[in-house]
Amino acid sequence: GAGVSQSPSNKVTEKGKDVELRCDPISGHTALYWYRQSLGQGLEFLIYFQGNSAPDKSGLPSDRFSAERTGGSVSTLTIQRTQQEDSAVYLCASSLVAGGGNTIYFGEGSWLTVV
Amino acid sequence: QKEVEQNSGPLSVPEGAIASLNCTYSDRVSQSFFWYRQYSGKSPELIMSIYSNGDKEDGRFTAQLNKASQYVSLLIRDSQPSDSATYLCAVTGGADGLTFGKGTHLIIQP
């Protein structure tokens, strides 16, 4: 597609429920990144994929968070048993390949509110 | 662990003046440097990238890089109210994604 596409754009969920956030990167981009940004805070790196593999999962906040990418394209970030502190905007980004000087382009984000 | 430091602000600049935003980074092997602008409630958008020491100009924006001092800055000339936003400095040098600073909140006063 023309840009990074994320869905849903907004999600309100009850504490304890699971949520899935989807990201469709720019066509041809092999690297995909997930960031989290809490209200008024900076960007927190969660995980990145080069192709379908995720070399570094250490940024995931807890074992309730998981991410996968299949077919080298769409990625899903899953949060199990959501907590109120999970409320944030989850930003997906993509680049041609990971690392180096490759520019990262962001989607519009998925705004998650846990009530 | 890579660190990117920015003054959170707010930095208040009169309309028409030059806004100067600064950023320092900890990882000496960092090779690529980016400035993103983020309006409230929106996702970051790329303004400038810089890879070598010196200045790089693009319209009203100038990025400056000094690798010896581990310092990168962004100058905005003829500041406009529409420049009011949070400016994020980002650095990369390895195989993973960008490391972002927490951003500087810039306010251009009409």
Side-chain angles (χ1 to χ4, degrees), chain B residues 25-78:
Chain B
Y25 58 95
S26 64
D27 190 353
R28 283 196 166 273
V29 301
S30 295
Q31 295 295 322
S32 307
F33 308 86
F34 303 85
W35 282 100
Y36 284 80
R37 178 177 62 199
Q38 186 175 28
Y39 291 115
S40 181
K42 299 293 187 181
S43 60
E45 58 179 323
L46 181 70
I47 298 177
M48 294 278 290
S49 59
I50 187 167
Y51 308 106
S52 55
N53 281 329
D55 294 0
K56 178 182 178 183
E57 187 174 321
D58 183 1
R60 296 187 297 111
F61 298 96
T62 299
Q64 300 175 317
L65 175 61
N66 184 326
K67 290 187 178 181
S69 300
Q70 295 176 238
Y71 175 92
V72 58
S73 65
L74 179 70
L75 302 178
I76 307 174
R77 289 182 300 281
D78 188 24

Side-chain angles (χ1 to χ4, degrees), chain A residues 1 5 8-9 13 21 26 28 32 34-35 40 44 46 60 82 92 100 114:
Chain A
S5 178
S9 55
T13 189
L21 308 175
I26 293 172
L32 184 148
W34 284 99
Y35 290 85
E44 176 187 4
L46 299 179
L60 294 174
T82 52
C92 179
V114 181

